[in-house]
Amino acid sequence: MSVKRTIKRRTMFAEIHQDTRGDEVHKFSVKYRKVDGEIGYKANVSKSIRNLPGKGKYNGNVKINHVLLLYDHDTERTFEILIDLMIEYNGLLIDHTV
């Protein structure tokens, strides 16, 4: 039986907040639980650079709501994930302990 590798939440955020890797946008996969309990998966996402908090289109408060604003390159849409409901980052289980 193989044990799935993990990544610390802080390390994951450090990677996500890298806007680029070389000349390309930093893309990753994410698995998460939706509020209704359903499991979601996005294979080709990056941190949203178009609708950052404080800009005209996005009115949510990331710090209070604990959401991460991401961009899905497959559907070309911006979406939110509740940080505490994230399960995997690039196939690694997220360790939410500090």
Side-chain angles (χ1 to χ4, degrees):
M1 183 171 145
S2 67
V3 176
K4 193 139 191 161
R5 292 181 48 208
T6 63
I7 186 169
K8 290 282 188 183
R9 180 171 159 157
R10 185 175 293 188
T11 304
M12 175 195 67
F13 280 120
E15 288 189 21
I16 287 174
H17 290 304
Q18 293 177 9
D19 294 335
T20 60
R21 289 250 169 125
D23 292 338
E24 298 202 12
V25 172
H26 172 60
K27 296 179 185 175
F28 53 91
S29 66
V30 64
K31 186 176 186 180
Y32 56 96
R33 187 174 325 284
K34 298 178 184 179
V35 177
D36 65 5
E38 184 180 342
I39 299 295
Y41 176 78
K42 304 275 185 180
N44 193 25
V45 302
S46 66
K47 180 176 80 169
S48 176
I49 53 177
R50 294 184 183 151
N51 296 321
L52 294 174
K55 292 201 176 179
K57 292 183 180 179
Y58 185 74
N59 295 322
N61 187 324
V62 175
K63 287 188 178 189
I64 292 173
N65 297 332
H66 302 282
V67 297
L68 187 60
L69 191 62
L70 301 174
Y71 179 76
D72 186 342
H73 292 270
D74 294 332
T75 63
E76 298 181 352
R77 296 183 148 227
T78 302
F79 66 102
E80 295 177 356
I81 291 181
L82 290 172
I83 294 167
D84 292 336
L85 297 182
M86 294 175 70
I87 301 169
E88 292 181 6
Y89 167 80
N90 279 341
L92 302 172
L93 284 174
I94 299 167
D95 180 356
H96 287 275
T97 61
V98 176

